[in-house]
Amino acid sequence: IFAPFETLNRAQFATILYRMEGEPAVETDQGFQDVVKGEWYADGVNWAAEKGIVKGYEGGESFGPADMITREQMAVMLYRYAKYKGYDISRTSDMADFSDKEEVGAFAEEAMSWAVAENLLKGSNGKLNPQSNANRAECAEVIQRFMENIVR
């Protein structure tokens, strides 16, 4: 089953990006203390860290693979993936159409601005809900828009 309304965790989203890249060989263990070698997500998370797509939580010692991914975290990972791929990441938005734009974390402002400008994130009822968890259906929509608007 797809379970569209189930939330997505950070390991799952990193693995989605890793699979989009064709599951390349992973050169090193990035040393996140909570990423267990041999787990289904380890190569995806380590590859994403190796390429600068994920950096873990403050201090970089942990990744939080089972933590539910927020919309702003998803935007940040996708933004860094686009940058890694060499796609144009120059478009920005002031996010003025969203009443909760002030809730976007400082670490995510650039990525959220880009994701809104590129129509990857469209919000709901005038809100971005940046710190709300993303579900599987939302992730699928964002990835589809990324493939249509950015990858072309």
Side-chain angles (χ1 to χ4, degrees):
I1 62 173
F2 178 62
F5 300 109
E6 293 289 321
T7 53
L8 197 73
N9 67 38
R10 291 167 51 83
Q12 289 170 321
F13 194 73
T15 300
I16 288 168
L17 298 177
Y18 174 64
R19 290 181 179 161
M20 285 171 52
E21 196 61 18
E23 300 183 57
V26 178
E27 312 246 338
T28 60
D29 177 348
Q30 294 299 304
F32 293 125
Q33 60 191 13
D34 56 354
V35 173
V36 180
K37 186 176 183 161
E39 286 293 324
W40 63 268
Y41 60 82
D43 282 350
V45 171
N46 284 319
W47 168 83
E50 189 177 281
K51 302 304 179 192
I53 297 164
V54 301
K55 298 183 180 186
Y57 291 123
E58 279 187 45
E61 294 178 9
S62 64
F63 176 71
D67 295 352
M68 296 301 107
I69 194 165
T70 64
R71 288 176 180 85
E72 66 183 6
Q73 290 171 349
M74 184 171 57
V76 167
M77 286 187 202
L78 201 54
Y79 176 78
R80 290 177 183 158
Y81 178 71
K83 185 175 183 179
Y84 158 74
K85 293 293 288 179
Y87 299 137
D88 181 6
I89 54 170
S90 64
R91 290 190 64 203
T92 61
S93 167
D94 63 6
M95 300 182 280
D97 293 340
F98 301 99
S99 63
D100 61 346
K101 70 179 186 173
E102 300 301 322
E103 294 177 24
V104 174
F107 78 96
E109 286 176 0
E110 188 174 18
M112 289 289 285
S113 171
W114 167 79
V116 169
E118 292 291 357
N119 264 339
L120 303 179
L121 295 177
K122 296 183 178 188
S124 176
N125 297 319
K127 292 187 173 190
L128 286 169
N129 301 309
Q131 296 174 16
S132 294
N133 295 333
N135 66 38
R136 295 168 61 93
E138 292 166 332
C139 173
E141 285 181 310
V142 168
I143 293 296
Q144 179 180 353
R145 291 177 192 143
F146 179 81
M147 298 303 287
E148 291 172 353
N149 300 346
I150 306 301
V151 177
R152 296 180 192 136

